[in-house]
Amino acid sequence: MKSFERYLLNRTTLANSETLAVYKANGGYKALEKVLKKPMTPAEIIAEMKASNLRGRGGAGFPCGMKWSFMPDPAKDPRPRYLAVNADESEPGTCKDRVLMEKDPHGLIEGCLIAAYAMRLQAVYIYVRGEYRKSYDTLLAAIAEARKAGLVGKNVMGTDFSCDVWMHKGAGAYICGEETGLMESLEGKRGHPRPKPPFPAGFGLWGKPTTVNNVETIFNVPFIVERGGAWFSSIGTQNSKGNFLCGISGHVNKPGVYELPFGVTAREIVDEVAGGIWKGRKCKAWFPGGSSCALLRGEDLDVVLDHDSLKTKGSSLGTAAMIVMDDTTSMARVMEIIARFYDHESCGQCSQCREGTQWLAQIFHRIATGHGKPDDVATLESLAKGMAPGKTICALADAAAIPTLSAVRIFKTELEECIRQAKDPLAPPRVEYAGAH
Amino acid sequence: MALPAKLIQEFDELVTHYPEKRAGLIPALHRCQEELGGWISPDTMEALAEYFGLEPVEVYGVASFYPMFRLTPPGKHVISVCHNISCELRGATQIMEHVCKKTGTKPYGTSADGKFTVWPVECQGACANAPMIDLDGVYHEDLTTEKVDKLLGGLA
Ligand SMILES: Cc1cc2nc3c(=O)[nH]c(=O)nc-3n(C[C@H](O)[C@H](O)[C@H](O)COP(=O)(O)O)c2cc1C
Ligand code: SF4
Ligand code: FES
């Protein structure tokens, strides 16, 4: 692997990295100062964001600068407007935003303020999953510190730019990571995703123009503003720019959250960064970016971990959360867990998703426990095809269908063998209990 | 039941963060659960409904949607055990078994002495440090059965 410059995680290893003093001593709030004192115009910032080609780090990979430019011009549309930072981080395998929030909260706050200036927002809400108490408390303390220092609230750095940043707690529902589910939840309702259109830029929080961005996306903003969009887009591959956080979990020797430039292969990540597959075993299968991506085989590890390369392999980058499985892993058990997860998290508004996720969960459960029926694999495939793409209000149905279709395609023989033998030869130990909630 | 004055005072400040009062409901449910016995009782729902100008059934609709809100009283200590994929690949099943054995509890159950509730939960965002449990709101990661013993041994 070639050497590269780290910028995302540099501060996270410093003592007291969460304090304003350490943040400032290490270049913090310089980008905001540049924006406010130079000053840069909102249009100039959006132009830099576009030039950077930063794509959203929350899973869908939408270009950030373009998203910001969808916000209406306040001269023509004077309604209040908001940014909701998506810190719901609940996609299985994904544990990267937490590192930034716990270790470098001011980096996120500075990004929020620049975003607020560029989109001329009234307020920013950081929606943190309720279980992330440490992220929440750390950010809350950092915001208080920044407010005291005149960086958050009225007349930031003594200029006429004002912006509030508020913390908001979710309560354990994965669907509230979907951007419109998040908005409903922030409004104090059940997290039921909204049909689109209307899109958030026109009708978001409280019906007002709203942008939703992932934590890591916003965290990149101060670096882009300080060093320029051209610098950012000089890192990476054709359509995947900058460094990214790769969380790698499962059967590797050194699971962790690592900063890497786009362009490295999955094999380099597994072997050189994460210390190889544990117990001297081989890689059987892996998810490139959370459990809603298509599974890939061990042989596919030579692929570059970026948007385009993974697409050519029939999968996607998702949240860049690699979940690695060794050659003793039961794919029936893996899929049983993943299908249970989507069934548990479906909000129930769309019949294809509500019923589909339930069926997938039941079928994978019976295959994994030796009660599979002869046509179950075919049923899984036709069910998954009936759920997605684009058949439901949100993409949770797709998130359940995609890994299912990949498992049925790649591990058909293994699943059929479980059915034929009326037992899963690779079954790990299990504790039986029915799901609650 | 009336909400304690301390909470009312907090909520009066909380709702100023939002253009609409109702947005404070979920954070308020969290605070009630923390302060009022570890669960959301029907009385709490009624009091919150009154505070937010909602029907109790609307508060119930919200509280019941979110897995973190408990609608039955838990034991003194709540142990949430992640049973999602990254944890399972690193031994979550053994952790679940061990936690249940040590506490005399079944998954989704409370021990006879009311001391422990064990709750399987989905991915908690600790996947690179799997397996994990959340004990009374604090994450414990890179777990082994020995570490579990130490943790539980230290509990009153
Ligand atoms: C079911 C579902 C769950 C999601 N969960 C998250 C999440 O936890 N965090 C996140 O940033 N994005 C999540 N997303 C993606 C968001 O809808 C949205 O695309 C993202 O927050 C936009 O930010 P970005 O453009 O900066 O990536 C989820 C999407 C779906 C369909
Ligand atoms: S696809 Fe599923 S999760 Fe999304 S809105 Fe429909 S039922 Fe809810
Ligand atoms: S799978 Fe257990 S924390 Fe993510």
Side-chain angles (χ1 to χ4, degrees):
Chain A
M1 215 171 93
K2 275 189 277 181
S3 72
F4 64 96
E5 191 209 338
R6 284 187 179 74
Y7 63 92
L8 290 168
L9 294 182
N10 281 348
R11 284 184 299 258
T12 58
T13 47
L14 302 172
N16 306 317
S17 62
E18 74 286 358
T19 60
L20 181 58
V22 171
Y23 186 65
K24 278 193 144 171
N26 290 278
Y29 290 110
K30 280 279 184 315
L32 180 67
E33 190 176 340
K34 175 174 170 184
V35 164
L36 295 179
K37 296 287 169 72
K38 202 175 167 198
M40 284 174 86
T41 64
E44 280 169 341
I45 298 172
I46 292 183
E48 286 302 326
M49 291 302 295
K50 282 188 171 163
S52 75
N53 272 316
L54 168 66
R55 294 174 65 171
R57 303 295 199 236
F62 195 85
C64 182
M66 197 192 297
K67 190 185 271 189
W68 288 13
S69 71
F70 293 157
M71 292 289 270
D73 179 353
K76 294 183 195 126
D77 184 345
R79 291 179 295 165
R81 60 219 12 251
Y82 306 104
L83 169 69
V85 176
N86 194 339
D88 197 49
E89 187 152 83
S90 315
E91 166 84 4
T94 312
C95 48
K96 66 188 179 69
D97 296 337
R98 191 183 147 201
V99 177
L100 299 175
M101 293 189 284
E102 290 182 4
K103 300 287 187 190
D104 201 354
H106 284 285
L108 179 61
I109 297 167
E110 185 175 6
C112 289
L113 291 165
I114 295 170
Y117 178 87
M119 290 184 276
R120 288 164 286 191
L121 311 170
Q122 271 63 32
V124 178
Y125 295 96
I126 303 179
Y127 183 104
V128 186
R129 64 177 301 178
E131 298 92 334
Y132 275 6
R133 287 177 180 84
K134 190 164 178 201
S135 295
Y136 181 91
D137 292 343
T138 308
L139 272 162
L140 197 66
I143 292 169
E145 226 187 341
R147 197 182 293 278
K148 228 167 139 189
L151 297 163
V152 167
K154 286 229 156 31
N155 303 112
V156 174
M157 292 185 171
T159 66
D160 54 13
F161 167 65
S162 299
C163 180
D164 263 314
V165 181
W166 300 114
M167 294 303 296
H168 188 95
K169 247 186 212 183
Y174 168 67
I175 195 55
C176 298
E178 195 281 336
E179 59 184 9
T180 60
L182 183 150
M183 296 189 298
E184 286 288 304
S185 176
L186 219 159
E187 291 180 11
K189 302 173 190 155
R190 299 165 78 98
H192 283 176
R194 303 172 181 171
K196 287 185 260 189
F199 293 97
F203 188 94
L205 279 169
W206 304 287
K208 306 296 192 291
T210 300
T211 293
V212 180
N213 273 130
N214 170 261
V215 169
E216 186 189 340
T217 311
I218 294 294
F219 195 86
N220 271 284
V221 170
F223 298 102
I224 292 170
V225 164
E226 213 185 332
R227 304 188 190 186
W231 159 75
F232 190 86
S233 73
S234 72
I235 308 168
T237 56
Q238 195 178 3
N239 291 310
S240 306
K241 299 299 189 185
N243 287 356
F244 68 104
L245 295 184
C246 172
I248 180 165
S249 65
H251 295 156
V252 290
N253 282 315
K254 290 193 292 173
V257 176
Y258 300 102
E259 174 177 359
L260 295 162
F262 281 114
V264 296
T265 66
R267 194 178 299 283
E268 286 171 319
I269 300 172
V270 169
D271 287 347
E272 295 174 39
V273 180
I277 306 294
W278 73 351
K279 303 181 182 175
R281 293 180 186 156
K282 289 203 168 53
C283 176
K284 175 173 180 174
W286 56 291
F287 288 104
S291 67
S292 56
C293 297
L295 276 163
L296 292 171
R297 298 181 181 86
E299 302 90 278
D300 296 320
L301 278 173
D302 289 310
V303 67
V304 168
L305 205 79
D306 73 3
H307 290 285
D308 293 348
S309 312
L310 287 164
K311 205 164 154 192
T312 63
K313 289 276 177 199
S315 190
S316 54
L317 180 66
T319 57
M322 293 178 68
I323 307 169
V324 179
M325 292 155 264
D326 73 20
D327 51 7
T328 67
T329 310
S330 155
M331 297 317 290
R333 177 68 177 138
V334 166
M335 287 311 301
E336 179 194 11
I337 290 169
I338 285 167
R340 178 204 67 216
F341 171 72
Y342 291 110
D343 174 29
H344 183 259
E345 302 298 333
S346 168
C347 85
Q349 287 188 98
C350 319
S351 53
Q352 299 94 321
C353 175
R354 185 184 61 240
E355 307 298 322
T357 53
Q358 199 179 341
W359 278 101
L360 295 181
Q362 283 172 4
I363 295 174
F364 277 121
H365 174 69
R366 68 179 181 236
I367 295 176
T369 51
H371 301 95
K373 298 181 184 165
D375 51 0
D376 270 353
V377 175
T379 311
L380 285 170
E381 187 175 0
S382 71
L383 275 169
K385 285 185 173 157
M387 293 167 70
K391 297 194 166 129
T392 50
I393 293 175
C394 89
L396 186 139
D398 304 59
I402 289 166
T404 302
L405 288 171
S406 67
V408 163
R409 192 174 64 244
I410 306 176
F411 296 106
K412 190 172 184 166
T413 325
E414 181 177 332
L415 296 174
E416 283 176 346
E417 199 55 22
C418 298
I419 298 169
R420 204 183 57 78
Q421 294 189 27
K423 75 172 203 296
D424 174 2
L426 294 172
R430 55 190 296 143
V431 186
E432 270 325 315
Y433 49 89
H437 256 295
Chain B
M1 180 197 85
L3 290 169
K6 171 177 117 174
L7 286 181
I8 300 261
Q9 208 177 357
E10 264 185 50
F11 298 166
D12 286 346
E13 193 278 328
L14 169 72
V15 296
T16 65
H17 304 181
Y18 313 96
E20 288 181 15
K21 193 174 181 184
R22 180 174 181 159
L25 178 58
I26 291 168
L29 279 161
H30 273 298
R31 289 295 294 131
C32 287
Q33 181 159 295
E34 282 162 16
E35 297 290 328
L36 305 173
W39 67 302
I40 307 293
S41 69
D43 281 351
T44 301
M45 286 190 227
E46 240 166 74
L48 280 173
E50 193 179 315
Y51 181 85
F52 284 97
L54 300 166
E55 292 300 323
V57 65
E58 287 179 275
V59 176
Y60 174 79
V62 172
S64 61
F65 181 82
Y66 292 93
M68 281 186 81
F69 297 132
R70 282 183 291 274
L71 303 182
T72 48
K76 187 171 172 200
H77 298 289
V78 178
I79 308 170
S80 304
V81 185
C82 175
H83 66 161
N84 210 298
I85 185 67
S86 303
C87 285
E88 165 68 15
L89 293 172
R90 310 275 306 195
T93 292
Q94 285 78 357
I95 298 295
M96 182 81 79
E97 226 165 12
H98 195 72
V99 166
C100 288
K101 198 173 85 195
K102 286 279 155 174
T103 57
T105 316
K106 288 205 168 76
Y108 303 115
T110 298
S111 57
D113 60 2
K115 201 166 158 191
F116 297 104
T117 294
V118 175
W119 210 262
V121 289
E122 298 299 354
C123 176
Q124 301 285 295
C127 326
N129 298 87
M132 70 84 69
I133 64 170
D134 173 320
L135 170 62
D136 297 330
V138 179
Y139 280 19
H140 298 277
E141 305 173 60
D142 298 308
L143 282 184
T144 56
T145 48
E146 293 77 37
K147 280 197 197 171
V148 170
D149 287 343
K150 245 195 213 150
L151 277 171
L152 298 182
L155 290 178

